[in-house]
Amino acid sequence: MRKKARVITKFRCTIYEKKLLKIKAKKSGLSLSEFCFRAAFNKEITARLTEEEIEAYKTISTFSRNFTLIGNMFRKRNPQLSHEVYALSKELKEHLNKFKK
């Protein structure tokens, strides 16, 4: 990766706009400079997950894995129970995919 060595002239904004840019940059885990760079080039800027969201994601992942294992155990004995457990596992995975976006 090439080193960024050129400085571009600053741009003007209000105090409110600057604070808003700093908040958005912080939420995305980027410096103000990198945030503005990505915004200028229409690159993807994603917000970082909070600690609570990360913990919830881990918990839901564990539940999903456990329900899949339970479904495997009951597949041969009770097909209806297996179907219900797999449906719940699928629903949990869909919620997990929302975190990834």
Side-chain angles (χ1 to χ4, degrees):
M1 187 171 177
R2 289 185 243 169
K3 182 179 176 184
K4 295 179 182 178
R6 304 286 185 240
V7 177
I8 297 177
T9 307
K10 298 176 184 180
F11 64 92
R12 294 182 183 275
C13 61
T14 64
I15 292 173
Y16 174 76
E17 291 168 335
K18 184 176 180 180
K19 286 181 181 181
L20 187 59
L21 284 171
K22 283 184 176 184
I23 290 169
K24 287 185 175 189
K26 186 176 182 178
K27 283 184 180 180
S28 64
L30 301 171
S31 66
L32 181 58
S33 174
E34 182 64 22
F35 180 82
C36 292
F37 177 82
R38 288 187 184 194
F41 288 100
N42 293 321
K43 292 191 176 191
E44 184 178 353
I45 301 171
T46 56
R48 302 284 178 185
L49 298 177
T50 64
E51 291 298 322
E52 294 94 17
E53 291 172 330
I54 292 170
E55 192 60 39
Y57 181 85
K58 288 178 182 178
T59 302
I60 293 172
S61 291
T62 302
F63 286 160
S64 176
R65 183 175 57 252
N66 289 341
F67 281 118
T68 301
L69 293 173
I70 292 168
N72 289 338
M73 288 173 43
F74 290 108
R75 184 182 315 145
K76 293 181 182 176
R77 293 185 182 176
N78 185 345
Q80 180 60 27
L81 177 62
S82 175
H83 176 70
E84 289 177 22
V85 171
Y86 276 118
L88 181 56
S89 177
K90 182 180 177 183
E91 185 178 340
L92 288 170
K93 285 181 183 179
E94 289 172 2
H95 287 290
L96 286 172
N97 286 334
K98 290 179 184 177
F99 278 109
K100 292 180 182 177
K101 294 180 181 180

